[in-house]
Amino acid sequence: MVQLVDNLLERVFPRIRRRPHLAYPLAIAIFVIAVCLRLALSRWLQGNFPFLTFSLAILLSSLVAGTGPAIVVAAGAILFSWYYYLPDIGWTLDITTIVPLTIFTILASFIIAIVHLLNRKVEGLMNERARSEALLQDSALGELHLEQLNVELRHRLKNTFAVIAGLVSQSARYSPDVRTFAQSLSGRLSAMGNAMDLVATRSFVGASLKELIEETLKPLVPPGDRRIEMEGPDTIIPGEVASALALTLHELGTNAIKYGAWSEEGGAVGVKWMLSKLDDDELSFQLDWDERGGPRVDAPERRGLGTTLIDNGFPSAQVEREFHETGVRCRIVAVLKQPTTRRTRGRGASTI
């Protein structure tokens, strides 16, 4: 019984009060019932309690339908009681009519005002409880999300240190001197750092493909107009793919500076990529690297670390390179798995 009353006061009645198209008809129905009861009990209430059923109707309509509908019920009760149950003098006013009507009006006003304050207090307490519950839920979800981020961060750091160790070892192996080693390693680590930064800004969900390509190539583009053209759609790619793609693009750009289109003033590079959906969580990815306006480029006589990173650095990708008189053309084709997403209370919180 207590639970039923709480449910009516906290949920049902506030919803009715917020809908005038329900509140006013309900108040009128309450008034009609009060009139019928008053007529049925007229033998017993005629002299002693002429406004009893109307007082109850005003109380009930204030509680259920709200202040506006209760005022309508009170006005109707005053008019009905004035005509039928006060001294039989029609619609004229005298002291025998004014006094009971005034008393009833004051009583009805007190009932409406008190119930109005009660309704506001109940709704205020409900809103406060809802805010407290939301804060508790956000706190719990925040702790869960933080723990997931910590797990993901540990995983990322472990993989990153493994990749860095491999880059250091291989760069030292293929570098003829310390200066060359430092330059090549610095550029590769910078490309990885940009990729990791883009992944971290999205709570380790992944990186924006368009931002990754732009941020990786921007430090490499020589000064001048129209040295690079980039075109393609955007999506979110996983962190491991972002690091591998950043290294691949860095090697292509470095080779273009040393031997290809960017080694001459008029040379330019076009980078275009396409995406097509395979299923709900997989995309077909194709990137074309096209150099033009540079010197004739021949296939390398030996495979260095840069060549290895271009051909094999992108996981599960097919890489095709062609060497033309104006520069290198490279096509990378791969299948990308899109990160899965979880949502928490209207805010996007995601993980791979």
Side-chain angles (χ1 to χ4, degrees), residues 226-270:
R226 304 182 65 84
R227 301 303 299 271
I228 187 169
E229 294 180 359
M230 290 183 286
E231 180 183 351
D234 196 15
T235 190
I236 303 300
I237 59 175
E240 292 86 353
V241 173
S243 298
L245 181 58
L247 285 174
T248 301
L249 292 173
H250 173 78
E251 296 303 325
L252 287 170
T254 301
N255 288 344
I257 293 173
K258 292 180 179 179
Y259 318 110
W262 285 339
S263 65
E264 294 190 355
E265 186 172 349
V269 174

Side-chain angles (χ1 to χ4, degrees), residues 299-312:
E301 296 180 358
R302 66 180 184 88
R303 290 179 61 85
L305 178 58
T307 302
T308 302
L309 288 174
I310 294 172
D311 292 341
N312 303 315

Side-chain angles (χ1 to χ4, degrees), residues 16-157:
I16 294 175
R17 291 194 293 267
R18 287 192 291 266
R19 294 172 172 81
H21 63 280
L22 294 178
Y24 280 93
L26 181 59
I28 292 173
I30 293 173
F31 173 72
V32 171
I33 293 173
V35 169
C36 294
L37 286 174
R38 185 65 184 81
L39 293 174
L41 299 175
S42 59
R43 178 188 303 179
W44 298 277
L45 301 179
Q46 182 69 36
N48 297 324
F49 305 101
F51 302 107
L52 178 61
T53 59
F54 297 120
S55 298
L56 296 176
I58 293 170
L59 175 62
L60 186 59
S61 59
S62 298
L63 185 64
V64 177
T67 303
I71 293 174
V72 173
V73 172
I78 291 172
L79 293 175
F80 186 84
S81 299
W82 178 9
Y83 185 77
Y84 285 100
Y85 294 106
L86 292 175
D88 189 14
I89 53 177
W91 291 100
T92 60
L93 289 173
D94 61 9
I95 191 64
T96 59
T97 304
I98 292 174
V99 172
L101 285 178
T102 302
I103 295 174
F104 177 68
T105 302
I106 295 173
L107 178 62
S109 299
F110 271 114
I111 293 174
I112 294 172
I114 291 172
V115 176
H116 173 73
L117 293 176
L118 176 63
N119 288 338
R120 289 189 60 183
K121 189 65 176 177
V122 170
E123 293 188 10
L125 291 174
M126 288 174 53
N127 293 334
E128 187 64 30
R129 186 176 68 180
R131 283 194 294 268
S132 299
E133 292 175 351
L135 288 174
L136 289 174
Q137 185 174 0
D138 281 344
S139 176
L141 292 174
E143 291 180 3
L144 177 61
H145 185 54
L146 182 61
E147 178 61 27
Q148 292 169 344
L149 287 180
N150 288 333
V151 172
E152 187 64 28
L153 180 59
R154 290 193 295 269
H155 173 69
R156 295 286 181 197
L157 288 176

